[in-house]
Amino acid sequence: IQVCNEYLAGYELPGCNRIADAVMLAEAVNQPNFGVLIDTSHETTYGRGPEAFTRSVKKLAEAKRPIWFHASKTGDRGDFTQSWINFQEILFDLKWHGGWRGPTVIEIFDAAEPFASGVGINDRPFPDRFALVGKSIEFIRNQWQRVPVSADKFLQARESTPSQEETLAPSSVGAPDSD
């Protein structure tokens, strides 16, 4: 039996809201069958960026902890093909740094009224949930197959991309003089 903790939003579960928090909890539980369920929606919404994610996945792998993958689109939790989440980046880390090969949870959140309007999770009902689930499974399967067989080229491309900190750094171009 494996038990995997899913880190959640702060209003859902105070204190365990990022992958690093879930890794610390797994370390504290100190049982070989206790690991982390990585949720793409929570990771991209509340995470600390790709470098922190990679570090946490490596820690889980080094400790040989179970890693489960929860594919969930941010926002309406619907059509994965309309998501801005970089599933290949996440799957790359899981494959090459975590040794992950499954299982996968696909989340299609179709909240019913009156719950849906109260929490604002999805902006419209999904007309054919089963077709949407099939389409999402195929999308994740395709993303997994596109993860490179060799990690070298993917890592080179990643290293040539500016980090989140570099991208968000204030620019000095056009800044007023300090004197």
Side-chain angles (χ1 to χ4, degrees):
I1 295 175
Q2 292 183 337
V3 177
C4 289
N5 174 55
E6 177 182 3
Y7 49 99
L8 301 170
Y11 65 90
E12 295 172 303
L13 181 69
C16 191
N17 310 119
R18 295 180 179 84
I19 188 172
D21 301 332
V23 170
M24 287 190 325
L25 178 62
E27 290 170 343
V29 170
N30 197 26
Q31 294 295 316
N33 64 331
F34 191 90
V36 175
L37 174 68
I38 295 170
D39 183 312
T40 55
S41 177
H42 296 155
E43 186 58 36
T44 54
T45 304
Y46 305 106
R48 298 279 192 208
E51 295 86 7
F53 180 76
T54 300
R55 281 192 304 274
S56 292
V57 169
K58 284 180 175 179
K59 279 183 102 169
L60 289 168
E62 288 165 4
K64 296 182 175 25
R65 300 212 177 274
I67 301 172
W68 289 17
F69 175 60
H70 181 178
S72 179
K73 179 183 169 227
T74 302
D76 70 3
R77 310 279 173 99
D79 186 350
F80 282 44
T81 63
Q82 302 300 313
S83 176
W84 58 269
I85 294 174
N86 188 338
F87 286 100
Q88 271 195 342
E89 180 90 13
I90 292 170
L91 289 168
F92 173 84
D93 277 335
L94 292 176
K95 180 177 184 176
W96 289 104
H97 299 302
W100 174 86
R101 298 290 181 266
T104 301
V105 176
I106 302 285
E107 180 177 29
I108 304 297
F109 197 96
D110 194 12
E113 290 300 339
F115 182 73
S117 60
V119 295
I121 291 178
N122 52 331
D123 54 2
R124 68 200 178 294
F126 305 120
D128 188 347
R129 292 176 194 89
F130 297 110
L132 187 58
V133 169
K135 184 178 180 181
S136 298
I137 290 169
E138 187 58 34
F139 175 78
I140 294 299
R141 182 178 290 133
N142 180 274
Q143 294 296 302
W144 175 254
Q145 290 170 347
R146 291 174 61 197
V147 172
V149 175
S150 166
D152 294 337
K153 287 186 179 180
F154 195 88
L155 288 172
Q156 288 170 353
R158 179 191 270 177
E159 290 168 3
S160 67
T161 304
S163 71
Q164 186 176 16
E165 291 80 17
E166 292 170 330
T167 306
L168 299 176
S171 172
S172 60
V173 177
D177 292 335
S178 58
D179 36 7

